Amino acid sequence: MSDVNAPTESPEFSRVLPWVSFVALLFLLNYLDRAMFGPMLPYLEREFSINHAESTRLLLYTSLGYSASLVVSGFVAARVRPRIMAGGSLVVCGGVMLGLASTHSLDVIALCMALLGAAAGQYFNGGLSTMRGLVAPSQWSKAIAVHEIGPNGSFILGPLLAGAAADSFGWRGVTTGMGWLSLAVGVLFLLFAKGGHERSAPVSFAGVGRLVRSPRLWLCTWLMSLAIAGEFAPYSVLTLHLTDERGMSAEGAAFLLAVSRLASPVAVLCGGWVTTRLGTRRTLVFCLWCYALGMCFMAMPPLPVMYAGLFLQPMMTAMLFPPIFTMLAEFFPPTEQPVILSIVMPLASFFGVGMMPYILGIWGDFVSFNAGFLMMGLLVAASLPMMKFLR
């Protein structure tokens, strides 16, 4: 199926790189606006005198808003220009962040977190459609590589912002700064960015009844849920774990969390390279085993073992995404993939970004984060028998 947004000519990638990078900057800020709150949960807990379950519940509200927004974004993309979806998403995120930083009510903060997720969810369709209007299909892999700097960069910058909150500005100052930055970049994008003028074709849910009865759909959904959970859930509670159970300072915990994510951008590229050589099934089995092992290492009392898990787990999680997306392409034809993603991504995001951090927060309150990490590692290991269905 042809892409109506793809350019008919194939300009040198260097000519469109600045505009692709502008879209990637939007994705970075869109992701960072949400990812920064995980490492800053200790400050929210102290200010509002709440426990781990109550603080991680705020991330659940963000996930609810984000997942619901993803579901409707396909319909919005058929009626609103992609550039307006992408830039407008960041403008609204910035405004919500400013409101969040100024309130002293935990209930209003919870509402703002849900609104933040809803605003951020409109970016995905808009940003990717804008990039498709900039680059030819032959250059798509290069554009995606630049675009993926966004989430991986946010997992490095988020803990550093949390460190700044501890050292100088407080969580409200950091949130205010990010709000103004998001607002300004979103407005600049709407005014000056190229691309993103063609609306997408409406999402067709024809045959969705047949798809939801397919075991392959639910296998893809579960694996994507595990991948997103591995990317986001340990990251969201590690600062709490390192300060409460490992005796580290907030600044030291934030720095260690940032350093542990430095290899993730390279790991994504390795995941694509390994998938082409080992195949989808063997790559998934290898990554899931190492992912489970990393989670179990993080639960071990000896610090060297914990450090090994802290670095191994995010690398293996990052490597999971290329084989999962390859599996989606192998299982489903291009005409079905938009509706497949409309089902898979909201469910996986709700589980990985919302439910799993909340479950880890509950375990941190009533047992320990170490026990929660071990539970998560065993859950991943228990999913390995599903790989026998990949033929």
Side-chain angles (χ1 to χ4, degrees), residues 41 45 50-57 240 244-245 357-358 360-362 364-365 369:
L41 289 180
E45 289 186 359
I50 55 178
N51 59 26
H52 300 325
E54 290 170 315
S55 67
T56 52
R57 192 184 303 147
L240 296 170
D244 287 4
E245 298 179 2
Y358 182 45
L360 289 178
I362 293 173
D365 274 332
F369 283 115

Side-chain angles (χ1 to χ4, degrees), residues 20-361:
V20 172
S21 300
F22 203 171
V23 180
L25 175 61
L26 252 66
F27 194 25
L28 171 66
L29 295 176
N30 175 285
Y31 218 97
L32 185 57
D33 283 347
R34 292 169 288 138
M36 60 181 273
F37 284 102
M40 291 202 299
L41 289 180
Y43 313 119
L44 289 163
E45 289 186 359
R46 282 200 293 267
E47 178 172 334
F48 292 99
S49 300
I50 55 178
N51 59 26
H52 300 325
E54 290 170 315
S55 67
T56 52
R57 192 184 303 147
L58 297 174
L59 305 181
L60 177 61
Y61 297 143
T62 306
S63 174
L64 281 169
Y66 185 76
S67 299
S69 185
L70 277 178
V71 171
V72 303
S73 66
F75 301 100
V76 176
R79 293 164 175 80
V80 179
R81 290 180 179 179
R83 60 182 288 115
I84 296 177
M85 287 182 68
S89 169
L90 195 61
V91 169
V92 177
C93 282
V96 173
M97 295 276 281
L98 293 175
L100 195 156
S102 63
T103 185
H104 293 272
S105 166
L106 192 61
D107 290 336
V108 177
I109 287 178
L111 175 62
C112 287
M113 295 294 276
L115 292 175
L116 180 64
Q122 291 300 304
Y123 166 81
F124 202 73
N125 260 308
L128 291 182
S129 295
T130 299
M131 284 209 309
R132 278 194 290 267
L134 292 169
V135 302
S138 61
Q139 300 167 340
W140 186 241
S141 61
K142 297 178 184 178
I144 286 293
V146 175
H147 190 251
E148 283 303 303
I149 294 173
N152 290 291
S154 71
F155 288 128
I156 299 169
L157 293 174
L160 298 180
L161 288 176
D167 288 338
S168 306
F169 305 107
W171 76 269
R172 293 181 185 278
V174 171
T175 303
T176 299
M178 281 300 301
W180 282 116
L181 179 62
S182 300
L183 226 148
V185 172
V187 170
L188 289 173
F189 184 87
L190 291 172
L191 292 176
F192 301 112
K194 289 188 176 182
H197 296 286
E198 297 292 333
R199 297 179 181 89
S200 300
V203 176
S204 173
F205 281 88
V208 69
R210 173 182 56 82
L211 290 173
V212 298
R213 291 192 296 271
S214 168
R216 288 180 168 186
L217 170 66
W218 300 111
L219 175 60
C220 292
T221 301
W222 179 243
L223 291 176
M224 185 66 77
S225 299
L226 290 179
I228 293 176
E231 182 181 57
F232 206 89
Y235 166 89
S236 298
V237 301
L238 266 168
T239 306
L240 296 170
H241 166 63
L242 294 173
T243 54
D244 287 4
E245 298 179 2
R246 298 286 184 171
M248 294 184 66
S249 66
E251 299 90 333
F255 177 76
L256 180 60
L257 184 56
V259 171
S260 70
R261 264 59 186 171
L262 287 175
S264 294
V266 179
V268 172
L269 300 178
C270 289
W273 182 84
V274 172
T275 301
T276 59
R277 281 151 182 81
L278 295 183
T280 304
R281 182 178 180 274
R282 283 191 285 182
T283 304
L284 284 169
V285 170
F286 170 75
C287 292
L288 287 171
W289 267 118
C290 294
Y291 172 4
L293 194 64
M295 291 302 309
C296 293
F297 280 0
M298 286 166 56
M300 297 296 105
L303 281 179
V305 179
M306 187 272 288
Y307 288 145
L310 195 61
F311 284 83
L312 175 65
Q313 185 271 329
M315 285 193 296
M316 291 301 105
T317 300
M319 284 184 66
L320 269 175
F321 287 95
I324 291 174
F325 279 109
T326 301
M327 181 179 63
L328 281 166
E330 292 170 349
F331 278 177
F332 304 101
T335 53
E336 292 181 345
Q337 288 175 21
V339 67
I340 291 294
L341 290 175
S342 295
I343 298 170
V344 170
M345 294 307 296
L347 293 174
S349 296
F350 174 68
F351 176 84
V353 180
M355 285 302 301
M356 189 52 70
Y358 182 45
I359 291 169
L360 289 178

